[in-house]
Amino acid sequence: MKYFSSPKKHRLENLFLKIAPFCLFLPGIIILGCAQSPLTEKKEGEAAVKKSADIPFEYAILDTIFGHREVSDIDRDGLNDIVVAHNPEDSGFLVWYKSPGWTRYLIADMASYSDYKAYRSCDMELADIDGDGDLDIVGRIGEPNSDIKGVTCWFENPLPGGDPAGPWQRHDIGENEYVKEIHAADFDRDGKMDLATRENRRVQIWFQDTPDSWTKKEIGIHDHEGGDVADLDSDGDPDIVLNGFWLETPDSARTGEYLEHNVDSKWWTQKEPSWMDNNCKVCVIDLNQDGRMDVLLSHSEKPGYPVSWYEAEDPGSGPWVEHVIAGGMDYVHNLRAADFDCDGDIDVLAGEMLKGDDPDELAVFINDGTSLAWKKQVLSTRGNYSASLGDIDNDGDIDIVGLRNYDSGPLELWINGTKTARDLSLARWRYIEVDNSRARWGDWAEPGWSRYFGLALGDLTGDGYADIVSGRYFYRNPGRGITGAWTRVDFGLNVDAMIITDIDSDNLGDVIGQACPDVYWLEALDTQGNNWKAKKIGTQPPTDHGNGQGYMTAQIIPGGKPEILLEGGDGISFFQIPDNPEAGGWPRTLIAGNSYGMGAGDLDSDGLIDIAGFDVRSQEDRPVTWWKNPGDGTGAWKKSYVGKTDGSFPDRIMVADLNGDSRLDIAVTEETQKLVPQWKTYWFEQPADPAGGNWPRHTVAVQYTTNAMDIADMDSDGDLDLITGEHRGPRRLIIWENNGQGRFTGHLVDQGKENHLGARVADLDSDGDLDIVGICWDSYQYLHLWRNDAKKSDKQ
């Protein structure tokens, strides 16, 4: 494999394909282009193309097979995967490629069926057909070389209880002829996913009674090809938009009449006696962002037609006004729309299939913001067929998954570097092993099986670089590059150091640690932290693990130094730093009895810091709650219900505004001893009344037990991202990039290295980006560090 020089090469390393044992071919990804250097040599017959710098795309080949492709998260790990229906004339199979390594898994092999042995459709749809929270696949299979005999069916994702590696169970929906389009939507608004399929001269709507029972409605239409489904008339139900006309879904979707409305008859009144007549690619989107849906059309099987978009104030009566995006492109069998350059407006992808005069261009038309002027950026001149879109490298921008032709591979990728170029990269990391010989708590005291829980990051030496404290150790930052030796200093007693905070306003480092029932203030005796003294400042009951797993500082009582919050055997409490901290006996106040975990923030916007946590450790009842600060320094905190986890115990909890609505939300992870990938990371969205309960719950990820989490703006784009680390399983460290509205895309930092109360972030090398530190339970001897190289040159 050869890499061309590129600042994104580290991200592309994750795109190399690992071959699953069953594979019928030997696919591999070949990097052919890069964002910074134009292609200067021909690859597989492609004419040399100089790529515009406006959208930095890189080109790669995924596999040699061919067929329809879709992009989405198949295994619910937060990373987008790729599904492909391989459809030669006389056979076929369905596969999916798992991100980020792109291992290929078999979903269904048509050769194993006794009835239909070919994938006979121009389309495929990913949708949650059975309502179990994962994506299933809808397609059509049929007799080889026959357009008549076949069945639309759906393939059931084995999740949540099974393994999506396959195979998947097939469920038949109903027989039909060759299908041009498949779209999933709830037409009758009963909460179940229905389907619309298009043949040459009829649309079939399959209403779901149960996942294995469907009621069919047929509607006669103009021939021949093209369709999309969207709420064109803004009445709350999906409509069916076809080649130059659309069908209005009635209030009674199952029994009512679907009225036909014209958009532009030139797309369906071609009367030359040819199967190439009246074929379109159709895309419905609010292109000019005026709150009304628009229609994009191109001719997919003929020359001489434009790529156009249409708008209308009244989609039913019209008139629909045509705006030409591009002329001079023929056989445009690619038509998609998305904000490729991340500038807030919608761009258009249009491409010619491998037919007619060369060059056969695939191009992005970049919107100038008015939707009336477009800049053409050519990606390829060798043809492409029915490209699909999605964020395949999980960096927050839209990539392209293409196919050379309907009957030939390879599967092609155009990897968009816009988001990476504009914001800090989330893909450039250098692993540093800070320590590999740490002791555990149980080497010194009971319980003998316990480990250290403490981890804190902060500058304890005054040199401008953040140091690390964890368990009974202080680690001095080596400075520039942070790759030098991290000097380890033992505190001199078995204490679990957890918090760095200024206790006495001098120039010596201060640390808070637990050795339950005792709580200690550790103070450096010199500016370099070579020696420390310990002062007992109070007591609290031990937990079932000895020391607590929840700790932080927060300004609970307005004014003065922040309070010390610690989890103990009786719940969550805070210690006040007195005027004379050397005297000991710091006041302790219990604020949340029989509770554990903690996040802090002003949840009710009254100017006081509140606490979020978990009410009880019960297998049957796992409530997430918050406690209102009374503002008088007492323990009379009122508890309010937030929601609950439904898979296992809640473990990590943090408070932050995750959707940009200026109200604080609550993020939670689940932990378990079961080694299966079905434990979730959630965020609970704060409602208008935070004390009213029933906060809407959103799932960020489904993965193995997740005992590490932090929240920070990792890509410097102005919103808060989540960082999670798995305790067991593949032990992945993932950054969940926030789109600003609480929807998250995963970026794998590393795997195979455990995080237990780790995955904490701080700028350790003082270069302006955030690094990540991890500690472990099973592999307790290690202290991990991932240096963020987003702001470093390739030479550093």
Side-chain angles (χ1 to χ4, degrees), residues 698-769:
H698 308 275
T699 300
V700 176
V702 181
Q703 48 192 12
Y704 289 81
T705 180
T706 302
N707 299 70
M709 179 173 63
D710 208 345
I711 295 179
D713 185 1
M714 296 298 293
D715 51 3
S716 296
D717 66 350
D719 53 42
L720 293 173
D721 311 301
L722 272 66
I723 307 94
T724 63
E726 291 174 315
H727 168 34
R728 290 187 175 132
R731 295 167 293 170
R732 292 167 295 187
L733 175 63
I734 297 177
I735 297 171
W736 301 96
E737 181 190 6
N738 193 343
N739 74 341
Q741 299 175 339
R743 293 192 295 273
F744 294 86
T745 301
H747 301 264
L748 183 69
V749 175
D750 199 358
Q751 61 184 353
K753 300 179 183 68
E754 180 191 1
N755 269 280
H756 187 272
L757 276 72
R760 308 286 183 85
V761 305
D763 185 3
L764 296 175
D765 52 357
S766 298
D767 66 347
D769 53 32

Side-chain angles (χ1 to χ4, degrees), residues 420-440:
T420 304
R422 292 190 174 188
D423 303 327
L424 289 184
S425 172
L426 297 176
R428 303 188 65 194
W429 299 91
R430 176 174 178 176
Y431 173 72
I432 299 168
E433 186 180 274
V434 175
D435 194 356
N436 62 11
S437 61
R438 287 159 51 83
R440 59 180 179 174

Side-chain angles (χ1 to χ4, degrees), residues 566-606:
L566 295 171
E567 175 190 324
D570 57 350
I572 300 170
S573 63
F574 68 84
F575 287 84
Q576 295 173 249
I577 302 174
D579 293 337
N580 181 13
E582 288 280 357
W586 296 14
R588 176 182 185 258
T589 303
L590 182 68
I591 59 178
N594 196 28
S595 302
Y596 67 105
M598 64 182 74
D602 184 4
L603 288 162
D604 54 358
S605 302
D606 65 352

